Amino acid sequence: MSDVRVRIAPSPTGPLHIGTARTALFNYLFARNQGGVFILRLEDTDAVRSSIAFEKDIVDGLHWLGLTWDEGPDVAGGPDHGPYGPYRQMKRLPLYEEAAARLRAADQAYPCYCTPEELDAVRRRQEAAHEPPRYNRRCALLTPAQRAAFEAEGRRPALRFRVAEGLISFDDMIRGRVEIDTANIGGDFIIVRADGTPLYHFTVVVDDAAMKISHVIRGEDHLSNTPKHILLFRALGEPEPHFGHLPLILNPDRTKMSKRKSQTAIADYIEQGFVREALVNYLALLGWSTGTEEEVLSLPELVERFDIRHVQKAGAVFDRERLEWLNGQWIRRLPPEELIDRLRTFLEAELEAGGIDRMPSDGELKALLPVIQERLPTLGAIGDLIGFLFVDRLEIDPSLFPTKRWDLATTREALVAAREVIAAVGEVSFEADELEPPLRRLADERGWKAGDLFMAIRVAVTGRTATPPLFDTLVALGYERTLERLDRALEASNQEAPR
RNA sequence: GCCCCCAUCGUCUAGAGGCCUAGGACGCCACCCUUUCAAGGUGGAGAUCAGGGGUUCGAAUCCCCUUGGGGGCACCA
């Protein structure tokens, strides 16, 4: 085993985001490719916004994607495992307190009595003067007496980290050498709130150090924050990890992907019937490529080929069409039993929503599978595809009758004739191969185009113009119901246009 | 505003100085297959490699500038 240790550190302040999922995936691919360790750590120090429901969404979502981690919590709200626990920041408070005390004792951090309102006013003034927002260091050199005076006022101090002057540089695994002057990072920053809870930039460093994280792979939005982290690692006397900043996932307008402009919750993709194989495959190829022309790759294949040096530097627009194409690819690759298994949830939802009146049996699904597997862009499309087979009473949109190329009289005449032919085939030999020849013959005899006849039957028995192949559909419907629906369509069309 | 990052078809990308008349995929268009819809097959349109300067015998590839885009600058993560 290598000494590679990477982590995904989501905060349970929202549902699992597509960007978080991709960052998790890249960390996972890197760890597995290198024979390293992949860790899940929950950054829940924002007590106001964090919730167990979001934690569940995140943990479940990562599991759903098929990612496995070696250390951390396995279940929302449940225990965690691993030699560097606990893996929830709110349970690591003593660690941060200890680290903060050390920085405080070494005067690398100092208490700041400025109120949020005061800081806001300063920031506003700087903005108005076109100056970069930056802490004015009012509390940086307070005397004990001044501190006592603030305390007497009842002010509770936050703890601020002293930012040293100088140039910070590091070799980003994706971007190469990056240099940032600490004069440009906004001045001394707060590491512990007035209420004693620690802040992100601080906890992330304390934990990455404590958990011996070797490579920090995260989104590019953290690139500018990296000097803060490096400064903290140094102040704490800890070795710096390697950093790698992934390109951002973008909205169609090329801004950072957001809930407002894109669908960002993994749960929504799951609910719409995207399969994990496709989502993983797609996300891996957003910002990375194998360097070959391979496109459809499983998680193990991705692990095998992953190379962080081939990760793109520029942001990547999320292309839902391409995801859907990949989803179709993977649905077609699923073993039949597996597909049926995954379809069940979606059929149940369809039943729940009243789209169908009964659940198809496994046998029925299995028989239908060959014609639906290549027609499903998402699992959620199943109701649309075959729902008409499982409704008790079919409603036909009157605008579909007569069919496009025929008038009502011809349509009705055709249905009457087709009903006779189908009835003559009989229940025993009700098979696709038995149905097609006589119906073709019928069209021939009457001088109709077979396609027009088939369309009339299709609309009559399914209520739709696009369906799986007609004869398979009729067989799935069954002898009795096919005749019944033909009769009803004839009745309905009669009422529509009485002659 | 300041700092940082980035820049190849509409989109995701291949490209590590000559293999590039820039390749693939999605999407789009046409044709084939075909009872509809898909799937599949074949072909096509689509990028003067953001622009301009260098370096070099030779640049999409290296350097600089410009332009454009993005991100960061919280007692959020």
Side-chain angles (χ1 to χ4, degrees):
Chain A
M1 169 130 356
S2 71
D3 51 6
V4 166
R5 292 177 56 82
V6 298
R7 48 53 172 191
I8 178 69
S11 74
T13 53
L16 180 58
H17 189 281
I18 205 120
T20 309
R22 189 187 61 149
T23 303
L25 175 61
F26 277 52
N27 273 280
Y28 171 90
L29 294 176
F30 182 74
R32 293 291 176 257
N33 176 271
Q34 300 284 308
V37 172
F38 177 51
I39 299 159
L40 171 67
R41 182 176 72 219
L42 266 4
E43 309 219 324
D44 53 357
T45 54
D46 184 343
V48 178
R49 295 193 298 149
S50 293
S51 82
I52 187 77
F54 288 140
E55 187 175 317
K56 180 169 166 50
D57 188 85
I58 291 166
V59 173
D60 290 354
L62 292 173
H63 279 310
W64 181 84
L65 284 166
L67 304 185
T68 53
W69 45 95
D70 309 296
E71 299 173 21
D74 285 319
V75 184
D80 53 37
H81 67 275
Y84 298 92
Y87 292 84
R88 273 192 188 75
Q89 293 191 323
M90 284 309 269
K91 294 203 166 154
R92 300 175 62 81
L93 262 18
L95 262 6
Y96 312 127
E97 273 165 32
E98 185 275 330
R102 258 164 61 210
L103 293 180
R104 173 90 168 80
D107 197 39
Q108 305 216 69
Y110 58 87
C112 171
Y113 294 90
C114 300
T115 62
E117 293 73 29
E118 288 166 348
L119 294 170
D120 206 48
V122 170
R123 209 169 296 126
R124 249 185 260 277
R125 218 171 306 132
Q126 291 171 330
E127 215 164 290
H130 295 291
E131 284 167 26
R134 180 169 219 285
Y135 179 55
N136 62 9
R137 309 202 81 202
R138 187 182 77 160
C139 299
L141 300 165
L142 258 27
T143 63
Q146 288 171 309
R147 284 178 186 161
F150 277 130
E151 297 272 355
E153 271 180 49
R155 295 199 189 206
R156 307 292 308 145
L159 192 65
R160 244 179 226 280
F161 179 70
R162 277 188 209 283
V163 172
E165 287 180 17
L167 208 58
I168 299 290
S169 64
F170 58 99
D171 286 303
D172 191 277
M173 288 186 281
I174 295 162
R175 279 147 222 285
R177 192 153 198 84
V178 176
E179 289 189 343
I180 296 176
D181 193 322
T182 61
N184 297 314
I185 62 177
D188 298 345
F189 57 92
I190 295 180
I191 56 178
V192 181
R193 291 183 181 92
D195 71 2
T197 55
L199 254 19
Y200 169 74
H201 293 306
F202 184 50
T203 58
V204 76
V205 169
V206 170
D207 287 342
D208 284 344
M211 294 180 180
K212 303 266 185 292
I213 299 302
S214 61
H215 302 256
V216 172
I217 301 169
R218 62 203 341 181
E220 194 197 331
D221 44 354
H222 284 299
L223 190 60
S224 303
N225 291 326
T226 304
K228 291 180 187 170
H229 302 162
I230 290 178
L231 250 17
L232 247 9
F233 275 108
R234 290 180 185 169
L236 259 9
E238 299 283 356
E240 298 160 31
H242 298 285
F243 292 95
H245 289 91
L246 304 171
L248 260 22
I249 303 180
L250 274 22
N251 292 313
D253 64 4
R254 304 202 74 91
T255 53
K256 179 162 94 167
M257 196 188 203
S258 65
K259 196 163 119 188
R260 286 288 300 162
K261 297 173 180 172
S262 305
Q263 184 177 97
T264 57
I266 292 291
D268 289 340
Y269 288 89
I270 298 175
E271 195 187 312
Q272 287 164 5
F274 286 92
V275 297
R276 64 177 63 92
E277 291 85 348
L279 213 45
V280 161
N281 194 163
Y282 179 72
L283 255 17
L285 262 26
L286 244 201
W288 172 71
S289 75
T290 60
T292 68
E293 281 173 2
E294 301 171 296
E295 307 260 4
V296 184
L297 298 160
S298 67
L299 189 55
E301 288 168 332
L302 292 168
V303 165
E304 196 183 320
R305 291 162 178 71
F306 188 73
D307 182 348
I308 198 162
R309 291 170 306 180
H310 280 80
V311 172
Q312 205 78 12
K313 294 192 190 78
V317 173
F318 189 89
D319 182 358
R320 193 190 165 94
E321 304 244 38
R322 196 170 149 84
L323 204 212
E324 282 182 11
W325 170 74
L326 263 177
N327 204 49
Q329 293 294 318
W330 279 106
I331 285 177
R332 269 163 249 138
R333 281 167 167 76
L334 250 28
E337 302 299 331
E338 179 69 22
L339 216 207
I340 290 175
D341 224 49
R342 296 199 200 186
L343 243 17
R344 202 164 290 121
T345 315
F346 292 87
L347 286 162
E348 276 160 10
E350 198 66 29
L351 187 64
E352 191 92 359
I356 55 176
D357 298 316
R358 69 171 183 88
M359 275 295 279
S361 68
D362 279 7
E364 286 173 307
L365 284 177
K366 194 164 181 165
L368 244 14
L369 215 61
V371 297
I372 63 178
Q373 190 154 19
E374 62 190 29
R375 264 166 257 265
L376 237 31
T378 60
L379 300 180
I382 189 65
D384 215 39
L385 227 203
I386 57 165
F388 60 81
L389 289 171
F390 307 101
V391 298
D392 296 335
R393 194 181 171 83
L394 189 71
E395 295 301 331
I396 302 178
D397 183 339
S399 72
L400 297 179
F401 254 128
T403 52
K404 230 176 191 158
R405 297 163 45 90
W406 277 356
D407 57 23
L408 188 60
T410 314
T411 304
R412 287 179 53 84
E413 181 192 343
L415 290 184
V416 170
R419 191 207 187 280
E420 244 173 73
V421 169
I422 292 170
V425 169
E427 185 155 16
V428 185
S429 35
F430 201 69
E431 300 292 338
D433 290 349
E434 302 288 335
L435 285 162
E436 186 167 350
L439 284 167
R440 279 194 187 279
R441 213 173 305 127
L442 170 67
D444 219 39
E445 285 162 10
R446 305 283 177 107
W448 297 326
K449 289 187 70 175
D452 293 343
L453 203 218
F454 297 166
M455 183 53 84
I457 301 172
R458 172 177 294 112
V459 171
V461 301
T462 70
R464 354 195 19 134
T465 54
T467 68
L470 181 63
F471 305 107
D472 296 305
T473 303
L474 295 185
V475 172
L477 243 192
Y479 178 74
E480 293 288 348
R481 296 170 72 215
T482 296
L483 294 185
E484 196 182 305
R485 286 192 179 184
L486 284 170
D487 289 339
R488 203 142 61 205
L490 276 163
E491 253 171 64
S493 67
N494 196 25
Q495 286 165 5
E496 287 300 321
R499 284 180 300 161

